[in-house]
Amino acid sequence: MKNRIGFIDFLRGFALLGILAVNLPYFSKPMYLVASLGENSTLLDSIGSWIVAFFFESKFYVLFSFLFGYGFFIQLENNQEANSRSRYFRRIFGLGILGLLHGIFLFIGDILLSYAILGALLWFLRNKSSSWLLKLSLFCLVIAVFCRMGMSLAEGEFKSQLETNLPRLLEESRKAYLGGFWESNVQRTKDTILSIPFLVFYQWPTVFSMFCLGFFAAKNSIFSDWERTKPGFRKLFPWALILGILGNLIYTLHSRHILSENPSVFLKILYAISDTFSAPALTFCYVYLLGNYYNSGRSFADRIWFETMGKLSLTCYLGESLICTWIFCGWGLGYFDQLGSYIVLVLTVPIWIFFGVVSLIWKRIFFLGPMEWILRSWTYWEKIKIL
């Protein structure tokens, strides 16, 4: 692809690690237990859960969404033919089908279908000005605050219903995921449907905000010349770091039930605002630090590792889900609800490294990853060469 920027692929490879760390708990135990008051029984497991909450949760779908917007703008710029519209929406439709299958057969927290639905709107933003995109991005974050406030105010009713039905729900979940292939798929479909309100109200406004920000960054070639970009990022970094650390500390204390379980309405509003803005702030800090590292001599040995995974990000994302499903479901190794949060966090590293090695081997032989090949062949409505 023309105009491909190595640092964008580098960030995608890094994002795959963070996404895996966030997703693994949802593979390993009933979704009702993740981040619940009774999730952990040891201090080590609690520490593992706190690490995921502070450093990973909400940060990496933000980063991936930003990169999605950035990448789609580049694709639109590289495809100005008369049939580019049909290609774009074929790609969106193909991505949606992959997301639907992913949610049924592999992972309840699929993001691809959401990307396809929201990504369809990006076509209509391709000619908008930079200032317009920035304003829309900020507006979507404001919408995200109100959505999270609404969810927070309504969670009392949800919790009371959940507590009444929790023993039955946990038993059904354990039995299904430790059962056969079809039993786990039926349960996963049910869980995926139940998670839709969370995806729509908690994630969608932020996702679309990051899409717009990614469009803005690509439109202004933010990452084409790091030396030009670096001074502006350096000015923002201290403020983003303060907001990121303080906001994510509050998020971790609140989400892991260290603070009061019955906060006042004022605190609920504060939590919603803090959560919405502190996650992108810390994500910005990751990008700034990685940008400095990537553009220094120290990164040369690591570039090929991260960049190769980034080029095969769709294959790696779906492949990680396949491996995790095999580890925890009854038709595989059957470790569902048997490992603590700390061990689950540690598992992130070898799984990510495994796909790093596979990516390097695969790219020595093939030009495209298998899932990238399928999606691109569908998009162009022809059999794309994979070698």
Side-chain angles (χ1 to χ4, degrees):
M1 181 186 294
K2 294 180 294 182
N3 302 330
R4 188 155 199 137
I5 300 171
F7 181 52
I8 296 297
D9 288 323
F10 186 91
L11 285 175
R12 286 195 187 98
F14 174 72
L16 286 167
L17 174 64
I19 288 170
L20 181 60
V22 175
N23 289 353
L24 257 172
Y26 292 92
F27 286 105
S28 69
K29 66 192 73 173
M31 67 177 187
Y32 311 100
L33 288 182
V34 178
S36 69
L37 188 59
E39 179 185 19
N40 302 305
S41 57
T42 69
L43 177 59
L44 201 58
D45 285 335
S46 294
I47 292 173
S49 181
W50 299 339
I51 290 173
V52 171
F54 185 88
F55 291 103
F56 298 100
E57 279 183 12
S58 298
K59 271 67 77 177
F60 283 87
Y61 85 81
V62 163
L63 177 56
F64 225 70
S65 300
F66 171 82
L67 295 172
F68 182 92
Y70 198 107
F72 262 64
F73 182 85
I74 297 299
Q75 289 170 24
L76 288 171
E77 286 289 288
N78 290 336
N79 291 278
Q80 299 289 349
E81 299 92 340
N83 63 346
S84 60
R85 178 172 180 169
S86 60
R87 283 183 182 177
Y88 183 85
F89 284 101
R90 262 204 309 272
R91 182 178 180 85
I92 286 293
F93 181 76
L95 192 67
I97 294 299
L98 288 177
L100 187 63
L101 296 174
H102 184 225
I104 293 172
F105 293 104
L106 295 176
F107 181 49
I108 64 171
D110 168 73
I111 196 69
L112 298 180
L113 182 57
S114 296
Y115 278 10
I117 294 170
L118 296 173
L121 301 176
L122 289 179
W123 173 265
F124 305 100
L125 303 183
R126 65 194 188 283
N127 296 322
K128 297 296 183 181
S129 68
S130 295
S131 61
W132 198 94
L133 290 168
L134 276 180
K135 290 174 183 176
L136 181 58
S137 178
L138 180 59
F139 175 75
C140 289
L141 285 182
V142 173
I143 295 297
V145 170
F146 282 102
C147 286
R148 295 180 190 195
M149 284 168 51
M151 292 176 66
S152 179
L153 294 173
E155 70 177 351
E157 178 65 23
F158 172 76
K159 282 184 177 180
S160 63
Q161 293 182 8
L162 181 61
E163 288 173 1
T164 302
N165 298 301
L166 187 59
R168 175 181 60 82
L169 293 171
L170 292 178
E171 179 61 26
E172 288 179 357
S173 185
R174 289 165 180 148
K175 183 178 180 181
Y177 285 117
L178 289 172
F181 180 75
W182 291 110
E183 289 88 347
S184 65
N185 291 337
V186 169
Q187 182 65 38
R188 190 176 295 106
T189 302
K190 292 179 181 177
D191 290 344
T192 297
I193 293 172
L194 288 172
S195 68
I196 289 175
F198 172 83
L199 290 173
V200 171
F201 291 104
Y202 188 87
Q203 289 191 338
W204 279 21
T206 301
V207 166
F208 197 71
S209 172
M210 293 302 107
F211 281 2
C212 295
L213 194 61
F215 249 45
F216 165 82
K219 197 178 189 74
N220 291 276
S221 303
I222 293 295
F223 295 119
S224 298
D225 183 355
W226 183 252
E227 292 306 315
R228 175 176 62 86
T229 299
K230 184 178 176 179
F233 274 30
R234 185 168 53 230
K235 292 178 181 178
L236 291 174
F237 177 73
W239 303 105
L241 185 63
I242 293 171
L243 175 59
I245 290 175
L246 293 179
N248 283 284
L249 180 61
I250 293 172
Y251 168 78
T252 301
L253 295 174
H254 174 58
S255 67
R256 292 319 188 259
H257 312 281
I258 300 171
L259 298 177
S260 171
E261 286 293 296
N262 297 297
S264 65
V265 173
F266 172 77
L267 285 178
K268 287 183 177 181
I269 294 173
L270 177 63
Y271 293 157
I273 296 172
S274 173
D275 181 21
T276 301
F277 288 97
S278 64
L282 194 56
T283 303
F284 169 84
C285 294
Y286 292 165
V287 172
Y288 173 70
L289 294 174
L290 287 170
N292 286 337
Y293 175 70
Y294 181 84
N295 288 280
S296 71
R298 301 188 304 274
S299 71
F300 290 142
D302 299 322
R303 283 187 183 184
I304 188 171
W305 178 274
F306 286 88
E307 285 183 22
T308 303
M309 290 188 74
K311 291 173 182 176
L312 274 61
S313 58
L314 181 59
T315 294
C316 289
Y317 173 66
L318 296 175
E320 287 174 351
S321 293
L322 178 61
I323 291 295
C324 292
T325 305
W326 173 72
I327 291 172
F328 294 105
C329 282
W331 56 264
L333 299 181
Y335 280 103
F336 188 77
D337 205 22
Q338 295 184 40
L339 302 179
S341 297
Y342 176 74
I343 297 299
V344 170
L345 175 60
V346 170
L347 266 177
T348 301
V349 177
I351 294 173
W352 182 76
I353 290 176
F354 170 77
F355 278 98
V357 173
V358 170
S359 297
L360 288 172
I361 296 172
W362 183 273
K363 283 292 287 182
R364 286 180 178 272
I365 306 170
F366 303 102
F367 173 66
L368 294 171
M371 301 313 301
E372 285 78 10
W373 175 78
I374 290 172
L375 187 58
R376 188 172 295 188
S377 295
W378 167 262
T379 299
Y380 285 87
W381 203 240
E382 63 183 35
K383 188 177 181 180
I384 301 296
K385 291 183 179 180
I386 196 171
L387 291 173

